[in-house]
Amino acid sequence: MADVLPLVEARLSTALGEPDARAAVTFLGVDRIEVLRFHEGDVVRYATLGMSRHPMTDPAALLADPVGGPRAELVLSVRAGRADTDKVLRPLAVLAASPQVEGLVVSPGASLDIGGPLWPGAPFTSVLVGEPGGLVEDLELEAPLDPVRFLPLLPMTPNEAAWKRVHGAQALQERWLAHGTDLRDPARATVPLE
């Protein structure tokens, strides 16, 4: 099977421009995950590269399919210069490695918990996985491979994450929209949840 990562990186560069920085993180027993950084005006975007190397497998499946199954990469967008967001590289790599490490299938509407701040001083400890196709279009691969989906990550405060568990992802997104929440603000407060 051909390596999909050069195709993924080309798609990211086409959509976001050339990365101005990259970092690699290696975890014991897991393939290397890179995080690429892109600047566009006052927005900085971080995209993983390596999560789509293998398809994600349902943990309930008896046998892992080495070819078929969903593939994805993660994209986080924040406003530049308001926080030390470059420290998000390792947490993003941890999230990108979670399908290999924990057998997770990462899909829209899911919550991914970091277990600590996304970056030093961040009010966010988890992210909501958004719908793909907006910022970076899906990358179609040759059959029988599933396309690579580029999933946006929306930072959540602990209170928002708890509220989402009760009311659902759609309800939280509607609340953000109703209050005009700037989801790219790395220092934003929790949306009113009453």
Side-chain angles (χ1 to χ4, degrees), residues 82-83 119 123-124 184-189:
R82 297 186 186 173
W119 53 81
F124 316 108
R184 295 178 181 168
D185 182 351
R188 73 172 178 82

Side-chain angles (χ1 to χ4, degrees), residues 20 36-47 75-81 83 85-86 88 184 186:
D20 66 355
L36 310 181
R37 185 181 69 189
F38 303 85
H39 272 96
E40 180 185 334
D42 72 336
V43 175
V44 60
R45 302 186 199 285
Y46 302 93
V75 181
L76 174 70
S77 301
V78 293
R79 299 222 178 272
T85 57
D86 278 352
V88 77
R184 295 178 181 168

Side-chain angles (χ1 to χ4, degrees), residues 36-128:
L36 310 181
R37 185 181 69 189
F38 303 85
H39 272 96
E40 180 185 334
D42 72 336
V43 175
V44 60
R45 302 186 199 285
Y46 302 93
T48 62
L49 180 63
M51 182 176 170
S52 62
R53 182 183 285 117
H54 304 289
M56 293 181 277
T57 303
D58 184 340
L62 293 176
L63 292 173
D65 185 339
V67 177
R71 294 173 188 261
E73 295 291 353
L74 308 174
V75 181
L76 174 70
S77 301
V78 293
R79 299 222 178 272
R82 297 186 186 173
D84 189 10
T85 57
D86 278 352
K87 298 281 197 279
V88 77
L89 302 177
R90 185 166 181 78
L92 276 181
V94 168
L95 293 179
S98 63
Q100 288 184 63
V101 174
E102 300 175 34
L104 294 178
V105 175
V106 178
S107 59
S111 298
L112 302 175
D113 195 276
I114 307 300
L118 275 172
W119 53 81
F124 316 108
T125 57
S126 61
V127 293
L128 175 64

